[in-house]
Amino acid sequence: MIPAPSEPGARDFRFTDEDFRALARLARAEFGLSLAESKKPLVYSRLARRLRAREISRFQDYMALLGTPDAADERLELISALTTNVTSFFREKHHFETLRQALIPDFPQQSRVRIWSAGCSSGQEPFSIAMTILDALPDAAQRDIRILATDIDPAIVRRAKAAQYTQEEVETIPSELRRSWIGLGARADQFEMAAAPRQMISFAELNLIDPWPFHGPFDAIFCRNVAIYFDQDTQQTLWGRFATMLRDDGFLFIGHSERVSGPALQTLATAGVTTYRKKPASGGAVAT
Ligand SMILES: C[S@@+](CC[C@H](N)C(=O)[O-])C[C@H]1O[C@@H](n2cnc3c(N)ncnc32)[C@H](O)[C@@H]1O
């Protein structure tokens, strides 16, 4: 929304190439984000919203605010403004077919199963994983099968935990799964995930470029449509870190426009469309 001229905060603010570069440096250092010069108009309009919200009229003042020790909340608002939370149930559904056909048949023989949805947005990805498992393995809830779902954005993690979705959002769930795992929501126009899929998932805030407070190993990692925002160095570091988090033969699923590159290819082999598998005996993570 464009504010009336009398409202405080930025309507038009000065945003030079040097300002853009300063912001791009900060976004890279703090969040691993890559902001190409071509994104300057988009960044400008997203930033204008933040300046208005903070009733700030100059870009320099906004940068100064970000530099203060207690600007943690604004930094998170900034990353929300610079990235998108777009997601949907069963997005890129071939990954869920691979989960069903190549991973789940082995689960009954495993004492423990761990799956990570890294950059889970509002929860549709981890819930699609949970519904796929529950559908294929009726006693899944009684087994040690856990899904970790993380995102940098606290507001989106809260939304994911609430597990409330609109009619339009639940429409991409296959109807038999919808019948089993979706009920009426807190409000008349909402739908809610059933208890069984909710109980399989632990949601948490996590910036993927920070240290990770867990060690795995994971049977599968879904990190889809997240690394696309990162510069190449950050992406390559991330692929390598995911590789060490996977068990041997574990799967890494990435987004449709992403590709693993760099040293991680020594440990990750292509195993289908935007699907990789950890080569055996390439050094697994230690169970914790
Ligand atoms: C486009 S959504 C992808 C959601 C889901 N993985 C999918 O493919 O449908 C990208 C998500 O990545 C999150 N994200 C962006 N940068 C991140 C970072 N540095 N650490 C963790 N999550 C991040 C955003 O908050 C957003 O929810």
Side-chain angles (χ1 to χ4, degrees):
M1 187 184 77
I2 298 178
S6 57
E7 277 185 84
R11 177 165 189 175
D12 295 312
F13 67 99
R14 204 163 155 264
F15 192 49
T16 63
D17 288 349
E18 186 39 49
D19 293 337
F20 176 79
R21 282 194 286 273
L23 184 81
R25 280 194 296 275
L26 181 135
R28 182 182 174 152
E30 295 279 329
F31 316 119
L33 295 187
S34 167
L35 297 182
E37 293 271 347
S38 58
K39 292 199 179 148
K40 193 178 164 201
L42 177 74
V43 168
Y44 173 89
S45 71
R46 300 267 176 100
L47 270 186
R49 258 188 266 154
R50 292 312 311 148
L51 267 70
R52 279 200 296 272
R54 287 286 181 158
E55 302 190 356
I56 291 172
S57 57
R58 295 189 326 150
F59 174 76
Q60 285 78 359
D61 296 338
Y62 184 69
M63 287 300 274
L65 168 70
L66 289 173
T68 58
D70 58 355
D73 288 353
E74 187 53 41
R75 284 164 185 260
L76 293 170
E77 293 290 351
L78 177 63
I79 193 169
S80 287
L82 297 178
T83 61
T84 151
N85 298 123
V86 170
T87 187
S88 55
F89 288 105
F90 292 93
R91 182 182 197 183
E92 296 170 43
K93 65 176 190 283
H94 59 281
H95 290 153
F96 300 96
E97 279 311 308
T98 304
L99 173 64
R100 186 183 283 273
Q101 286 163 17
L103 278 131
I104 296 176
D106 290 337
F107 287 179
Q109 287 83 55
Q110 293 181 224
S111 57
R112 141 196 206 284
V113 173
R114 294 290 179 270
I115 298 178
W116 182 12
S117 166
C120 65
S121 188
S122 36
Q124 286 89 330
E125 181 176 277
F127 281 124
S128 301
I129 298 168
M131 287 187 283
T132 303
I133 296 173
L134 285 162
D135 187 53
L137 206 63
D139 68 346
Q142 283 76 55
R143 296 177 176 276
D144 185 10
I145 301 177
R146 303 286 314 155
I147 300 163
L148 171 67
T150 63
D151 200 282
I152 193 173
D153 183 341
I156 210 78
V157 173
R158 278 197 298 279
R159 226 212 113 189
K161 273 186 192 162
Q164 304 284 319
Y165 298 100
T166 64
Q167 163 92 48
E168 201 186 345
E169 285 170 331
V170 300
E171 261 161 18
T172 57
I173 304 175
S175 52
E176 66 281 10
L177 296 186
R178 216 162 47 212
R179 275 196 294 277
S180 302
W181 308 115
I182 302 288
L184 290 178
R187 286 200 333 240
D189 57 346
Q190 280 181 330
F191 294 85
E192 182 176 83
M193 270 295 145
R198 294 175 73 152
Q199 283 160 4
M200 289 173 74
I201 304 174
S202 304
F203 288 101
E205 292 165 27
L206 180 72
N207 181 348
L208 283 172
I209 74 161
D210 285 346
W212 300 337
F214 45 77
H215 300 283
F218 289 95
D219 298 275
I221 298 174
F222 289 69
C223 185
R224 309 180 312 155
N225 310 298
V226 182
I228 191 168
Y229 299 110
F230 299 162
D231 61 71
Q232 204 189 24
D233 286 354
T234 307
Q235 284 188 12
Q236 293 194 356
T237 304
L238 188 63
W239 307 138
R241 292 175 76 196
F242 282 149
T244 56
M245 279 279 163
L246 284 171
R247 66 158 166 82
D248 283 354
D249 286 323
F251 282 79
L252 172 66
F253 300 107
I254 66 174
H256 59 281
S257 54
E258 297 160 343
R259 195 158 52 90
V260 169
S261 63
L265 284 173
Q266 287 162 19
T267 36
L268 295 172
T270 306
V273 179
T274 53
T275 303
Y276 296 82
R277 262 190 115 163
K278 180 160 172 172
K279 298 175 191 171
S282 48
V286 179
T288 53

